[in-house]
Amino acid sequence: MKKFFNLYNLSSAQILSLGYSTVILLGALLLTLPIATTNGQGMNFLDAVFTATSATAVTGLIVENTASFFTTFGQVVIMCLIQIGGLGIMSMSTLFVFLVGKRVTLKHRLMIQDDLDQFELSGILQLVKYVIAVTFTIEGTGALLLFTRFIQDMPLGKAIYFAIFHSVSAFNNAGFDIFGNSLENFTGDITVNLTITSLIILGGIGFAVIAEIYDGKKFKNFSLQTKLVLSVTAILIVVGMIGAFILEHSNPATLGKLPLGDKLLASYFLSVTPRTAGFNTVPTGALRSSTIFFVIILMFIGASPGSTGGGIKTTTFGALLAVLYSRVTGKDDIEVYKRRLDKEVIFDALSICLIALTIVALVTTILTITEKAPFLDLLFETVSAFGTVGLSTGVTGNLSVIGRVLIILTMFAGRVGPLTLAVAVAEKRHKANIRYPEEKILVG
Amino acid sequence: MKKFFNLYNLSSAQILSLGYSTVILLGALLLTLPIATTNGQGMNFLDAVFTATSATAVTGLIVENTASFFTTFGQVVIMCLIQIGGLGIMSMSTLFVFLVGKRVTLKHRLMIQDDLDQFELSGILQLVKYVIAVTFTIEGTGALLLFTRFIQDMPLGKAIYFAIFHSVSAFNNAGFDIFGNSLENFTGDITVNLTITSLIILGGIGFAVIAEIYDGKKFKNFSLQTKLVLSVTAILIVVGMIGAFILEHSNPATLGKLPLGDKLLASYFLSVTPRTAGFNTVPTGALRSSTIFFVIILMFIGASPGSTGGGIKTTTFGALLAVLYSRVTGKDDIEVYKRRLDKEVIFDALSICLIALTIVALVTTILTITEKAPFLDLLFETVSAFGTVGLSTGVTGNLSVIGRVLIILTMFAGRVGPLTLAVAVAEKRHKANIRYPEEKILVG
Ligand SMILES: [K+]
Ligand SMILES: [K+]
């Protein structure tokens, strides 16, 4: 096992980065081929790297319209990158979730090669097989449901192709579409809305949670991880839907002209997509400033660990809220669902949040210098890239070269994971034997 | 002692709020008097409450120009409100800092009436006397230095009045000015810049730190609190100055046309004022978007506990950074200057930060609905109000009634303190006797 992860003495974080980079580069090269684009000239290299990164990191930001710029070959390359990226993230992160039961904190993740010795290689292969089977089952079901709708407007072959593409894109939370205007043709369509949102939610709660639900346990018997994921996800969707409805219901450019039922459906979709799919049924650029800001917060929180989604994760957010609740109610322990959270978990959650905030602040600051767009649009773009969401108010295509490179790096950082990245950069640490005396300080 | 704080069975948080509200209301009534304003009609009540809150909370946001709208009577009322508000905050918060040595965490602060039994009333009066003596000494020195400059342009009486007003306003981090354009006439003036920034910094590091420095100890013998305050403050000022210089040096509307020396001086001022004075020597509204965002972050962090400044505080920020550093370097303890930080302190720091972020996000969202100004300006205004900074890109005077009321509440919340407020609202808690089993979750 050690040998498997220890190729050429690389850490697993380095291997992860290297693996992703290789897939991205190969994908980018394929997209530069003349047969990949409808103009017969292939994509330029920078934009091809941008697109391949966006697909492999299942982000969904695009500099060229996927529907019109790429040939079917180019689109299939993108779909394959999405599937590889999604499966990779699902498998790797599911592994971490299962390792949690074995007392693995983030600071041990980088030494994962040692911890993995506890597993048999066969066990890991078994897990990956499971993940693939579940993925294909769900994607297949989703494609079938979408097909029943698409066949009404399209010839058979096209309907099958569109159904598969959008099911894969939705379950992997990629957000790529080949309609050319995301799902804006289906704002009030029940089948498309419910299928896509279900795929997004299933993809976003992660394999471990799906497995526990599939086992048919009752809620109270779920692991704390699953309880937290489900409750935070549910809260975010409900709060998001109410918020979106209140803020947008009178905006004529989005929900204003829709009948009430469609208003609710579109609010629901707007609430689900920041977790972190990136599809849209109403034009993102037409949302009000307040809604844009609200969606930024939802995107920042993102999806759940062990899933294809990004962001700081629902459990991180839940852990931070648990601290706040415990302090305000004067409890000594940080308690969630009658379980104590270890301080190490809290410190990890806090660190992830701080790193995420730092990256977002830094990238946004640089973009406000290099780009001409308003601050809010650039903040939206940055959080969307970092959270691998893929929504955009419309600035992606107008980004300068520096802006494109920066967003590529942000998508990559958002995917490979804030803490993994930070720890990977940091030097090998030595466990201190000295323990310093404690001293109080006053905060706030 | 118990009786002193336990009037009519109110908690100390309630007494604090009540005391502030009373001072604000009295001040507002005085400002509505005809003799308070140059137009002889007095200020309208809402704006008077706004101004009185801004002065008492030492924020400095203004809906009318202090120099031209108010008579000397009105200006003196404002100066007195600043002094009362500043002294109140200094005394109360210094008390808390000294209580830290007695193992008082935030969750005990609300029960402060019990803890205070450990002190003699005479000891507390002694402390308040000390605070007043130090305040008047520093303000007197500052006024003297400012006088040497102002006397060059003004008659004697006016120079004395202006020197005292701006010294009081600077040391209490109030940011009110009676020039009409803050300190924009003194962009390159060494005396005014260094005097004002020194007053701001001294006012912002808090009485306890000033006392330790005055004792003439060496840095390594300082308390952890003082070490943290001094090092974080120094880092913020240096980073802030470099950042401001890089972002603004070529902006013709701010630093662009100044000689290099003045550029550096103005960058230094721009770096000090978000901690949390609110004076400006270059027009805030003319800053670039990137600089505005940068200043927002500095304002959010703010000043130090036991001071007249606001924000989440330098120690809070330092504690959060310490967690990040310890996690990334793989240490088990959260260590700062060879001392361990208790997890309770970290949880408090995190809670304060979360509450602050929540309030800022909520207020900004509402303002983007009720006001017409761009998002970045409204975010700036909100953080400025919450951090009791008082800088504005120019939207304060154009706020709607809802906007004014919201900013008043935000200034109040920012002053009385995020956690104190939250805890005050929360019900009396009962210490749980059950301790739940621990369970791991995966974050990020
Ligand atoms: K996405
Ligand atoms: K101020």
Side-chain angles (χ1 to χ4, degrees):
Chain A
M1 193 51 231
K2 206 154 199 161
K3 272 174 211 152
F4 181 69
F5 270 80
N6 235 350
L7 300 159
Y8 307 104
N9 256 338
L10 295 173
S11 74
S12 47
Q14 287 167 321
I15 292 174
L16 200 68
S17 304
L18 208 68
Y20 261 90
S21 308
T22 310
V23 173
I24 289 168
L25 273 180
L26 283 177
L29 287 176
L30 288 173
L31 294 178
T32 58
L33 296 179
I35 53 162
T37 63
T38 48
N39 65 7
Q41 304 179 344
M43 203 175 206
N44 77 62
F45 186 67
L46 178 62
D47 288 353
V49 170
F50 191 103
T51 307
T53 306
S54 182
T56 313
V58 292
T59 306
L61 287 176
I62 48 170
V63 282
E64 297 286 357
N65 194 308
T66 316
S68 57
F69 187 79
F70 293 105
T71 59
T72 305
F73 173 82
Q75 292 169 357
V76 172
V77 167
I78 289 172
M79 189 172 78
C80 290
L81 290 176
I82 291 171
Q83 190 61 82
I84 294 170
L87 278 177
I89 281 296
M90 278 279 251
S91 311
M92 287 299 289
S93 51
T94 302
L95 207 59
F96 286 135
V97 173
F98 281 126
L99 286 173
V100 164
K102 299 202 174 284
R103 262 189 49 79
V104 175
T105 60
L106 279 174
K107 72 166 200 158
H108 290 116
R109 281 201 203 170
L110 258 270
M111 309 165 194
I112 205 80
Q113 52 267 51
D114 306 322
D115 292 315
L116 279 177
D117 290 338
Q118 301 168 13
F119 283 80
E120 295 295 318
L121 182 57
S122 63
I124 292 177
L125 286 180
Q126 190 64 36
L127 175 70
V128 173
K129 270 190 208 163
Y130 250 56
V131 171
I132 292 177
V134 170
T135 300
F136 286 169
T137 308
I138 295 177
E139 286 176 355
T141 313
L144 208 65
L145 290 167
L146 290 177
F147 174 77
T148 65
R149 175 63 188 80
F150 294 164
I151 192 68
Q152 296 170 29
D153 304 333
M154 302 172 183
L156 182 72
K158 194 177 171 191
I160 294 175
Y161 173 49
F162 271 55
I164 293 175
F165 188 97
H166 292 98
S167 183
V168 169
S169 183
F171 181 68
N172 290 293
N173 276 290
F176 277 86
D177 74 280
I178 47 177
F179 285 103
N181 61 349
S182 197
L183 302 173
E184 290 177 26
N185 299 341
F186 303 95
T187 315
D189 188 285
I190 298 270
T191 312
V192 172
N193 271 273
L194 294 189
T195 306
I196 295 282
T197 49
S198 302
L199 287 169
I200 293 171
I201 293 171
L202 283 172
I205 59 178
F207 181 79
V209 173
I210 295 174
E212 272 200 77
I213 296 173
Y214 187 75
D215 284 350
K217 283 191 224 166
K218 285 186 183 159
F219 186 83
K220 69 181 171 73
N221 297 327
F222 284 154
S223 67
L224 180 59
Q225 173 86 14
T226 295
K227 281 181 186 164
L228 250 187
V229 165
L230 290 177
S231 51
V232 174
T233 302
I235 291 168
L236 286 176
I237 290 175
V238 172
V239 171
M241 185 176 167
I242 296 171
F245 183 83
I246 293 174
L247 297 173
E248 287 296 323
H249 75 278
S250 61
N251 182 351
T254 58
L255 307 187
K257 290 174 182 159
L258 303 176
L260 183 65
D262 289 8
K263 272 197 175 88
L264 290 172
L265 199 60
S267 300
Y268 173 65
F269 196 93
L270 194 51
S271 168
V272 170
T273 192
R275 189 140 310 84
T276 56
F279 286 118
N280 54 290
T281 58
V282 295
T284 310
L287 294 172
R288 292 190 163 130
S289 294
S290 45
T291 317
I292 297 275
F293 184 54
F294 185 66
V295 172
I296 287 174
I297 296 171
L298 292 176
M299 295 196 299
F300 185 78
I301 299 169
S304 303
S307 82
T308 51
I312 62 167
K313 303 290 171 350
T314 53
T315 48
T316 306
F317 182 64
L320 297 181
L321 284 190
V323 173
L324 183 57
Y325 180 76
S326 296
R327 297 313 280 176
V328 169
T329 56
K331 291 206 171 67
D332 278 329
D333 290 331
I334 310 301
E335 297 166 2
V336 185
Y337 285 117
K338 304 201 174 179
R339 290 289 181 279
R340 251 187 307 132
L341 288 181
D342 183 42
K343 68 176 167 50
E344 307 246 320
V345 172
I346 307 296
F347 294 161
D348 283 344
L350 176 57
S351 302
I352 289 165
C353 195
L354 285 177
I355 293 177
L357 283 173
T358 307
I359 292 178
V360 166
L362 207 65
V363 172
T364 307
T365 304
I366 300 177
L367 287 180
T368 53
I369 304 172
T370 63
E371 312 302 317
K372 288 217 157 53
F375 175 81
L376 188 59
D377 290 343
L378 296 173
L379 179 64
F380 191 93
E381 192 80 6
T382 306
V383 174
S384 178
F386 184 74
T388 70
V389 181
L391 291 172
S392 174
T393 56
V395 302
T396 324
N398 301 321
L399 288 175
S400 67
V401 171
I402 298 177
R404 278 168 205 232
V405 172
L406 210 57
I407 292 292
I408 290 174
L409 294 176
T410 309
M411 290 191 288
F412 192 83
R415 182 73 294 173
V416 177
L419 203 70
T420 314
L421 204 72
V423 181
V425 174
E427 287 186 31
K428 271 258 176 289
R429 48 276 173 113
H430 306 282
K431 186 148 177 161
N433 287 319
I434 330 156
R435 193 162 197 217
Y436 294 119
E438 189 176 303
E439 185 171 340
K440 295 259 170 198
I441 61 162
L442 191 78
V443 291
Chain B
M1 193 51 232
K2 208 154 201 162
K3 273 174 210 152
F4 180 71
F5 270 81
N6 237 349
L7 299 161
Y8 306 102
N9 256 338
L10 295 172
S11 74
S12 47
Q14 287 167 319
I15 291 175
L16 200 69
S17 303
L18 207 68
Y20 262 91
S21 308
T22 310
V23 173
I24 289 169
L25 273 180
L26 283 177
L29 288 176
L30 288 174
L31 293 178
T32 58
L33 296 179
I35 53 160
T37 63
T38 48
N39 64 7
Q41 304 179 343
M43 202 175 206
N44 77 63
F45 186 67
L46 178 62
D47 288 354
V49 169
F50 191 103
T51 308
T53 306
S54 182
T56 313
V58 293
T59 306
L61 288 175
I62 48 171
V63 281
E64 296 287 357
N65 194 308
T66 317
S68 57
F69 187 80
F70 293 105
T71 58
T72 305
F73 172 81
Q75 292 169 358
V76 171
V77 167
I78 289 173
M79 188 172 77
C80 290
L81 290 175
I82 292 171
Q83 190 62 82
I84 294 170
L87 277 176
I89 281 294
M90 277 279 251
S91 310
M92 288 299 289
S93 50
T94 302
L95 206 60
F96 286 136
V97 172
F98 282 126
L99 286 174
V100 164
K102 298 197 175 286
R103 263 189 49 77
V104 175
T105 62
L106 279 174
K107 75 167 197 155
H108 290 116
R109 280 200 205 171
L110 259 271
M111 309 163 192
I112 205 79
Q113 52 267 50
D114 305 322
D115 292 314
L116 280 178
D117 289 339
Q118 301 168 13
F119 283 81
E120 297 295 318
L121 181 56
S122 63
I124 292 176
L125 287 179
Q126 190 65 36
L127 176 70
V128 173
K129 271 190 206 163
Y130 249 56
V131 171
I132 293 177
V134 170
T135 300
F136 286 169
T137 307
I138 295 177
E139 285 175 357
T141 313
L144 209 65
L145 290 166
L146 291 176
F147 173 77
T148 65
R149 173 65 187 80
F150 294 165
I151 190 69
Q152 295 170 30
D153 304 334
M154 302 170 182
L156 181 71
K158 194 178 171 192
I160 293 175
Y161 173 48
F162 271 55
I164 292 175
F165 188 98
H166 292 98
S167 182
V168 169
S169 182
F171 181 68
N172 290 294
N173 276 292
F176 278 85
D177 74 280
I178 46 176
F179 285 104
N181 61 350
S182 196
L183 301 173
E184 290 177 26
N185 299 341
F186 303 95
T187 315
D189 189 285
I190 298 271
T191 312
V192 171
N193 270 274
L194 293 190
T195 306
I196 295 282
T197 49
S198 301
L199 287 168
I200 293 171
I201 294 171
L202 282 173
I205 58 178
F207 181 79
V209 174
I210 294 175
E212 272 201 77
I213 295 173
Y214 186 75
D215 284 349
K217 282 193 226 165
K218 285 185 183 160
F219 187 83
K220 71 181 170 70
N221 296 327
F222 284 154
S223 68
L224 180 60
Q225 173 85 13
T226 295
K227 282 180 185 166
L228 250 187
V229 165
L230 291 178
S231 50
V232 174
T233 303
I235 290 169
L236 287 176
I237 290 175
V238 172
V239 171
M241 185 176 167
I242 295 172
F245 183 83
I246 292 175
L247 297 173
E248 286 297 322
H249 75 278
S250 61
N251 182 351
T254 58
L255 308 187
K257 288 175 182 158
L258 302 176
L260 182 65
D262 289 8
K263 274 197 174 92
L264 290 172
L265 199 60
S267 300
Y268 173 65
F269 197 94
L270 194 52
S271 168
V272 170
T273 193
R275 189 138 312 85
T276 57
F279 285 118
N280 54 290
T281 58
V282 294
T284 311
L287 294 173
R288 293 191 161 128
S289 294
S290 45
T291 316
I292 297 275
F293 184 53
F294 185 66
V295 172
I296 287 175
I297 297 171
L298 292 177
M299 295 195 299
F300 186 78
I301 299 169
S304 303
S307 82
T308 51
I312 62 166
K313 304 290 169 356
T314 53
T315 47
T316 306
F317 181 63
L320 297 181
L321 284 190
V323 173
L324 182 57
Y325 180 77
S326 296
R327 298 313 282 174
V328 170
T329 56
K331 291 206 170 65
D332 279 329
D333 290 331
I334 310 300
E335 297 167 3
V336 185
Y337 286 117
K338 303 201 173 180
R339 289 288 181 280
R340 252 188 306 132
L341 288 182
D342 183 43
K343 68 176 166 49
E344 307 245 319
V345 171
I346 307 294
F347 293 161
D348 283 345
L350 176 58
S351 302
I352 289 165
C353 195
L354 285 177
I355 293 177
L357 283 173
T358 307
I359 293 178
V360 166
L362 207 64
V363 172
T364 307
T365 303
I366 302 176
L367 286 181
T368 54
I369 303 171
T370 63
E371 312 301 319
K372 288 217 157 55
F375 174 81
L376 188 60
D377 290 344
L378 296 172
L379 179 64
F380 190 93
E381 193 81 4
T382 306
V383 174
S384 178
F386 183 74
T388 70
V389 182
L391 291 171
S392 174
T393 55
V395 303
T396 324
N398 302 322
L399 289 175
S400 67
V401 171
I402 299 178
R404 278 166 206 233
V405 171
L406 210 56
I407 292 292
I408 291 174
L409 293 176
T410 309
M411 291 192 287
F412 192 83
R415 180 74 292 172
V416 176
L419 202 70
T420 315
L421 205 73
V423 180
V425 174
E427 284 186 34
K428 271 260 175 287
R429 49 282 176 103
H430 307 282
K431 185 147 178 160
N433 286 320
I434 330 155
R435 192 165 197 213
Y436 295 120
E438 189 177 302
E439 185 170 339
K440 295 260 169 199
I441 61 163
L442 192 78
V443 292

